[in-house]
Amino acid sequence: MGKIGLVLCGGVAKGAYEAGVLKALAERKIYPDVIVGISAGAINGAFAAQMLATGQFTANEVERELIYHWRETANADHLYHGFDRKDSRPLEQKSLKSLFKRLGIDPLRRQYRPRIGFDSLFAFEQLVRGDFLSIINHDFIRGMLESYLHFPSVIKRDVTLSVVTSDLKGCTTLTPENKLSTEYSTFDEFRWKAGLHEDHWDEMNPRMQDAVLASSSFPFIFPPVERPTKNGTDTGFFVDGGLMDSAPIGRAISLDPEIDTILVVSAVTVIDAPESDLQTLPQVLGRVFSLLAGRFLIQNYHKVLHCNDRISRLDALVKRGKNGNVLRNAYNEDLALLAGFKGLDDYQSRRVVQLVPIFPSSGLPGDVFEGFFRPELRAQYIDQGYNDAHAALGRDARITASGLVEPSLQTSL
């Protein structure tokens, strides 16, 4: 059997759902080789990749290190006050939280201790002018990552983590072939592999943490993360990867040619009618996020299914030699082009990939931010992710620790 990929689509506070899914995977001894993480899924993916690489991907470890944070610490108070740092970067300092602190205001604890002086006057002027980028900064999430992601002295499994971010400096251009090209989404890959040297880890870990912070930077809630672009000659401003592509299934397929099964996890694909009229900016932002997530997921999901269908049909039509190998002739080349591939080589480089969706059967209650204020919602998300994963893996996918058994191509969304 081939390897397994895992796509974690995020969902802000509903990212707790993915923690429940990861616990179910650990119980079934399903070990993904590639993880693609977006938004909250990037945080979950970083924790999972470290556990997998060090041979600690067990239900107890997921419960102790990841689910604990979602149950106990991933709340509004910790996001606002936790790991308060003195070394915040310039963009981190341009938050509403920073202005409130200079004015002596703590909205979450409903405290007001007015500060008198030039700094508070300047802060008030900035507040009136709207001179801020976000409500809070990354202190809490950065502290979580720093406390968990340490150099693994022993690596028992090779694991690749791909983190998806959106570049605010991205643009749409016209290629010489008169085709439109967009460069908004950025994919950063980080690999735990045998022989990983501590010097390489010291270089990789800060970049990985910055990528995870950027991917989870929901606009207006967190500031953008300024970091080098892929070419290394410029810097960009990166935010939530879900804005441009919340479910890049194809990325997981392309990272390893031996992957033939992709688990796709999303907590926000099913959108119920709002429990009440939309009255706040977070409710509207959360609704927009859910709509985008569902749209991208459906597009990418069916794109893979369509490619599977083309491969299967072409397998039945191409001419083969006596040894069963595909003949390299004009007929087969034309067939590949007619099927939508770039040519015979492109067709032969593809393979059928089984998709295993793990989604809530009905919409999770609350908007994507409400769970930060209500711990019982986060607990419900975790439990539902755990139960949905066991149901999907036991009923549809028939996955074992050694891979997919009798894969079916009839999976649909």
Side-chain angles (χ1 to χ4, degrees), residues 304-317:
V304 175
L305 291 183
H306 180 57
C307 186
N308 283 347
D309 183 59
R310 287 187 294 146
I311 294 171
S312 299
R313 291 175 182 271
L314 203 52
D315 283 344
L317 293 174

Side-chain angles (χ1 to χ4, degrees), residues 55 88 112 159 240 275 409:
S88 295
Y112 178 43
V159 182
D240 197 318
E275 297 175 3
L409 299 181

Side-chain angles (χ1 to χ4, degrees), residues 269-332:
T269 51
V270 179
I271 306 176
D272 291 339
E275 297 175 3
S276 60
D277 292 338
L278 299 176
Q279 298 176 346
T280 66
L281 178 60
Q283 287 178 334
V284 174
L285 291 176
R287 197 74 180 169
V288 171
F289 179 86
S290 297
L291 291 169
L292 287 174
R295 172 179 173 269
F296 287 126
L297 180 58
I298 289 172
Q299 283 182 341
N300 292 336
Y301 194 97
H302 283 290
K303 187 183 294 183
V304 175
L305 291 183
H306 180 57
C307 186
N308 283 347
D309 183 59
R310 287 187 294 146
I311 294 171
S312 299
R313 291 175 182 271
L314 203 52
D315 283 344
L317 293 174
V318 291
K319 292 183 177 180
R320 301 176 183 272
K322 293 181 180 180
N323 58 3
N325 292 334
V326 175
L327 296 174
R328 303 190 65 83
N329 55 33
Y331 174 81
N332 284 343

Side-chain angles (χ1 to χ4, degrees), residues 14-79:
K14 293 183 179 181
Y17 178 89
E18 296 174 348
V21 171
L22 288 169
K23 181 178 178 180
L25 296 184
E27 281 188 351
R28 288 175 171 265
K29 294 182 171 55
I30 296 170
Y31 305 127
D33 301 278
V34 167
I35 300 174
V36 178
I38 309 100
S39 193
I43 300 173
N44 291 328
F47 273 72
Q50 181 86 350
M51 293 177 198
L52 285 160
T54 56
Q56 295 179 306
F57 189 63
T58 65
N60 287 339
E61 183 72 4
V62 173
E63 180 75 40
R64 186 171 70 89
E65 292 293 349
L66 188 58
I67 289 180
Y68 167 79
H69 280 301
W70 280 110
R71 286 190 192 275
E72 306 297 334
T73 68
N75 56 50
D77 187 69
H78 282 96
L79 284 170

Side-chain angles (χ1 to χ4, degrees), residues 152-222:
S153 56
V154 177
I155 293 181
K156 297 184 178 181
R157 293 183 62 88
D158 289 358
V159 182
T160 299
L161 170 68
S162 181
V163 178
V164 187
T165 57
S166 299
D167 187 357
L168 294 181
K169 284 188 175 180
C171 60
T172 300
T173 57
L174 190 64
T175 67
E177 296 80 18
N178 285 327
K179 294 181 179 180
L180 287 176
S181 173
T182 59
E183 297 180 1
Y184 295 107
S185 291
T186 299
F187 302 90
D188 294 276
E189 276 72 60
F190 307 96
R191 291 180 170 85
W192 287 255
K193 56 184 178 180
L196 178 66
H197 195 274
E198 191 167 0
D199 289 342
H200 180 69
W201 173 263
D202 290 340
E203 183 273 332
M204 179 183 90
N205 192 23
R207 290 191 299 107
M208 177 170 58
Q209 291 189 29
D210 277 353
V212 171
L213 290 177
S215 184
S216 57
S217 291
F218 197 100
F220 307 115
I221 306 299
F222 295 100

